[in-house]
Amino acid sequence: MSEVKYPENYLTILHKQIDLLQDNIKRMNNNSFLIKAWTIGLLALCLGFIKDFKAISILFLIVPILFLWFIDGCFLYYEYQFRDKYNELTEFNTQSTNTNNFDVIKLSKFYNITPKSTNKADEIIDKMLSTTLIAFYGCHILFIGILFLTKGCCFV
């Protein structure tokens, strides 16, 4: 059984690719955190400007929250995709192969850091309905509903 022949700079490429994937994961996580901060800030700003709660006020508050919830779900979706790619890469490099040269299929998989293309809409909705996002954004919507009911419903 002969050993696999890897490119000379294999470890350098491997470490660089792992760094790129980790940076993408960190970026998606940071973006998700910033979206949550924007949600809280936007909610506070909107509540400060609303004098009396009318039906249009509810839309004015809930629509941006739903929009930011969707964006947060997208960032979470891409973060999970990059985590899967990272796991694939580390799993691929811990497996041993019995070939004499670097397999072209595995080499293309090795250099590819693009997340897999799946049914994005369903998966983004799944991420939006994750426990943490439902708790975070659900509390905001519940807060708006309670405020609307306690401050009086003025539909004019």
Side-chain angles (χ1 to χ4, degrees):
M1 185 192 301
S2 60
E3 293 206 16
V4 177
K5 294 181 182 177
Y6 293 104
E8 289 178 23
N9 57 352
Y10 171 76
L11 286 177
T12 306
I13 293 169
L14 176 65
H15 288 292
K16 185 63 179 171
Q17 188 174 17
I18 287 173
D19 287 344
L20 286 171
L21 285 170
Q22 287 174 341
D23 288 344
N24 282 330
I25 291 167
K26 280 187 231 173
R27 189 176 309 119
M28 294 299 126
N29 195 346
N30 187 43
N31 288 345
S32 181
F33 178 76
L34 290 174
I35 289 294
K36 288 176 179 73
W38 270 95
T39 302
I40 292 170
L42 189 61
L43 180 63
L45 181 72
C46 290
L47 286 173
F49 283 122
I50 294 176
K51 294 178 183 171
D52 56 346
F53 278 85
K54 297 182 181 180
I56 195 74
S57 303
I58 294 299
L59 286 176
F60 186 65
L61 290 171
I62 289 183
V63 169
I65 289 176
L66 293 175
F67 179 70
L68 291 169
W69 189 354
F70 175 76
I71 292 174
D72 200 5
C74 289
F75 284 131
L76 193 60
Y77 164 76
Y78 282 114
E79 180 184 338
Y80 275 87
Q81 290 292 310
F82 281 116
R83 284 180 191 270
D84 288 345
K85 204 63 175 162
Y86 178 85
N87 291 337
E88 271 182 29
L89 178 68
T90 54
E91 187 178 298
F92 163 72
N93 286 297
T94 55
Q95 295 174 351
S96 61
T97 58
N98 296 328
T99 58
N100 241 355
N101 50 16
F102 213 55
D103 192 2
V104 175
I105 296 170
K106 290 184 179 178
L107 190 61
S108 67
K109 182 179 179 181
F110 175 72
Y111 284 106
N112 182 12
I113 66 165
T114 307
K116 287 186 229 174
S117 179
T118 58
N119 189 354
K120 289 183 184 178
D122 289 342
E123 289 201 26
I124 289 173
I125 290 171
D126 286 344
K127 298 305 180 218
M128 284 177 67
L129 298 177
S130 68
T131 307
T132 54
L133 291 186
I134 284 179
F136 183 80
Y137 292 100
C139 284
H140 287 72
I141 292 172
L142 184 67
F143 174 72
I144 292 168
I146 290 171
L147 252 153
F148 183 68
L149 293 174
T150 58
K151 295 288 184 180
C153 304
C154 181
F155 290 100
V156 178

